[in-house]
Amino acid sequence: DSFNISTRNIIIGSSFALLGLTNFTSHVLLSTIIIYNWKSAFAQFFIYKLILSMSFMAIGYMLIHFVMIIPCTITGCLFYPAWLMELLFAIFRTFEYGFFIAVLFVAIDLFFMFYLKKFGRFYQRVSHAINFRFVGSYSYSIFQRFPYAKMCYC
């Protein structure tokens, strides 16, 4: 296998790196602010638990992004063994879907908070547990199919 590094690959990889660094920094700052002020400002509001869940998933997603996507865009993934690519991709997808599930729960929570307040209180009691159970079971199902996850953005 051969891969020729071109200007296009360097521009795309650099763009991914810049956007990824911006995303990573903003989620780390958001998480730090919420955690630092948890007891004084955020503990009584359920939505901040969902936002923290979303931020932690985004931070994990971006760490894998820096390890896998950016180097593969620039160099074509020639230096990664197949098993490592499969593992990184499985973790990458787990964090991606965990982030999407957290965003979904934030949207549902806001809808209930504004339109169906009584049901919204019930939803807040159960959705945090559902969020983590779903992401955990999805992660387990990915790693069960781990040898067959041969997708790559290369």
Side-chain angles (χ1 to χ4, degrees):
D1 291 331
S2 67
F3 181 81
N4 296 325
I5 298 174
S6 66
T7 306
R8 176 180 170 263
N9 294 90
I10 293 172
I11 290 171
I12 292 171
S14 300
S15 300
F16 280 166
L18 181 64
L19 291 172
L21 189 61
T22 304
N23 187 8
F24 181 79
T25 304
S26 64
H27 280 287
V28 166
L29 289 173
L30 176 66
S31 298
T32 304
I33 289 168
I34 291 174
I35 290 170
Y36 181 74
N37 296 312
W38 183 255
K39 288 185 180 180
S40 63
F42 300 118
Q44 67 271 19
F45 298 109
F46 174 73
I47 189 129
Y48 292 108
K49 292 178 183 176
L50 295 174
I51 291 173
L52 272 178
S53 175
M54 177 190 69
S55 290
F56 290 151
M57 291 294 171
I59 290 168
Y61 179 84
M62 293 315 303
L63 290 174
I64 299 298
H65 183 79
F66 290 129
V67 171
M68 183 179 81
I69 300 297
I70 295 169
C72 287
T73 303
I74 295 173
T75 65
C77 297
L78 298 178
F79 54 90
Y80 284 141
W83 67 267
L84 183 59
M85 285 299 298
E86 292 173 2
L87 176 65
L88 289 174
F89 191 75
I91 295 169
F92 184 75
R93 283 294 185 199
T94 301
F95 281 122
E96 181 179 39
Y97 290 121
F99 175 80
F100 291 147
I101 294 298
V103 169
L104 171 72
F105 283 138
V106 167
I108 292 170
D109 182 58
L110 290 175
F111 175 80
F112 287 145
M113 186 170 61
F114 289 114
Y115 295 109
L116 301 170
K117 292 182 182 187
K118 288 183 182 179
F119 185 75
R121 287 187 211 112
F122 169 75
Y123 169 77
Q124 288 179 355
R125 286 194 304 260
V126 297
S127 73
H128 196 63
I130 292 171
N131 184 14
F132 285 112
R133 284 188 188 134
F134 178 81
V135 171
S137 65
Y138 180 77
S139 170
Y140 178 76
S141 70
I142 278 185
F143 285 106
Q144 289 297 314
R145 294 177 281 158
F146 171 72
Y148 307 108
K150 291 202 176 217
M151 294 184 228
C152 179
Y153 294 130
C154 303

